[in-house]
Amino acid sequence: MAVAALGGVAAVFVFSFTGDDSPEGPPQSKKSPAPPAQPSPSPSSKAPASSGTPTAPPTAKAKAKPSKEAGPPSKPGGERRPRPPADGSAVEWLFNDVEGGVIPDTSGNGNHGTLVGPSSASTVTGGALKFDGNQFLASDGPLVDTRGSFSVSARVKLNSTDRSQTVVSQDGAESSGFLLQYDAEESQWEMRIPEGPSDDVDADADEAVSDVEVDAGQWTHLTGVYDEAAGKVRLYVDGRPGESVDHEEDFATGGDFVVGRGLGENEFFRGVDGTVDDVRAFGKAVSPAEAASLAQGS
């Protein structure tokens, strides 16, 4: 599906990728929400606010060089599971490899992701991907049907907790159809889904939240679930169930599946300043046992 155009005429650039096993070569381009020169302050968790439409600086090629940051401690030697910890993934981005700014989908479904932004990113030991709040990774169209049950999961380490940051989302017409995110205003993790029938930026939202302290520099595994049959939004933190809230009105979102930012008023919103790993999505509501397995296997 066509990628959503953002706020007027804005140029975006697929940024060059530096890090482990990063090949040199011309960057690829992709139309997508343009990130701001400076991350915007955290808006209210109920109504995403625009960060403005910046002008992205020219993309610069950089020589590949390994990062010195250590990856998730649960992956000694960078070894990865040959099969996902839960069945039926629609996408699996493990950040083990990159070719020309493209992250391969190891689920076998061919849903590869494209890196976008004005600045470079780097891998870390173990295969995770570092963001500085100005880049993101996007599919070519939606990967989950937000009208029905779906689940998304990721492993994340934030560099700071003084502003809100979106780990995984999917673009709607104006705003994200869901946000797996950190809310700085409440100092908590959230699985946030706007109340239907649309993704209007002023719409209220149903939010399943965590009851654990969020610390900068600490790896955390998140799984957000929408169970359409039960009418529930759920959040799991490190495989443990958090809050479960009611959700009744679903709606379709036809934009990109995104790692590293949300969408608010058709603009870049809540970019991640930190490291993300093991992103997966499922066209079903994963069970508590599967959520625990995802956390243990990432």
Side-chain angles (χ1 to χ4, degrees):
M1 299 179 66
V3 178
L6 298 185
V9 178
V12 293
F13 302 86
V14 177
F15 55 78
S16 59
F17 190 92
T18 64
D20 301 340
D21 301 321
S22 172
E24 296 184 16
Q28 298 183 4
S29 63
K30 178 183 181 71
K31 295 181 181 178
S32 204
Q38 296 294 331
S40 61
S42 169
S44 166
S45 62
K46 293 295 182 180
S50 169
S51 61
T53 304
T55 300
T59 302
K61 295 171 66 178
K63 292 184 179 180
K65 58 182 180 180
S67 168
K68 295 183 180 179
E69 179 179 332
S74 61
K75 301 177 183 178
E79 293 296 326
R80 316 312 285 277
R81 295 171 61 94
R83 298 185 62 183
D87 293 333
S89 58
V91 68
E92 182 181 76
W93 290 335
L94 302 183
F95 308 116
N96 286 340
D97 194 14
V98 61
E99 294 184 9
V102 175
I103 299 295
D105 171 21
T106 52
S107 73
N109 294 317
N111 293 317
H112 309 307
T114 302
L115 295 162
V116 182
S119 54
S120 62
S122 60
T123 55
V124 301
T125 303
L129 185 65
K130 294 177 64 177
F131 297 86
D132 66 6
N134 297 301
Q135 319 105 337
F136 59 96
L137 172 66
S139 66
D140 186 11
L143 298 185
V144 295
D145 183 356
T146 54
R147 295 170 299 181
S149 296
F150 68 92
S151 305
V152 293
S153 66
R155 189 169 169 86
V156 59
K157 179 175 67 174
L158 301 180
N159 291 336
S160 65
T161 56
D162 59 353
R163 65 182 182 84
S164 297
Q165 302 171 58
T166 299
V167 183
V168 184
S169 65
Q170 184 162 288
D171 294 348
E174 294 292 333
S175 302
S176 298
F178 72 85
L179 300 117
L180 183 62
Q181 66 177 4
Y182 167 69
D183 185 343
E185 204 168 276
E186 302 296 335
S187 189
Q188 63 193 15
W189 298 110
E190 295 177 348
M191 177 61 170
R192 182 183 192 274
I193 304 181
E195 296 177 1
S198 73
D199 67 336
D200 186 275
V201 70
D202 295 321
D204 288 337
D206 297 315
E207 299 170 346
V209 304
S210 65
D211 58 357
V212 299
E213 185 176 353
V214 181
D215 295 321
Q218 175 177 302
W219 282 104
T220 304
H221 189 274
L222 305 173
T223 300
V225 177
Y226 172 47
D227 186 339
E228 192 270 339
K232 295 287 186 180
V233 180
R234 303 188 181 106
L235 176 67
Y236 297 84
V237 179
D238 289 327
R240 296 184 294 272
E243 189 176 27
S244 176
V245 298
D246 293 336
H247 183 72
E248 296 180 355
E249 295 184 272
D250 10 269
F251 57 93
T253 52
D256 293 345
F257 181 87
V258 180
V259 176
R261 65 135 178 92
L263 188 70
E265 294 185 335
N266 209 32
E267 293 179 353
F268 188 102
F269 174 66
R270 292 183 172 177
V272 165
D273 178 16
T275 310
V276 181
D277 197 9
D278 288 356
V279 174
R280 293 182 173 93
F282 302 84
K284 65 176 185 178
V286 299
S287 68
E290 287 177 313
S293 181
L294 284 165
Q296 293 167 3
S298 70

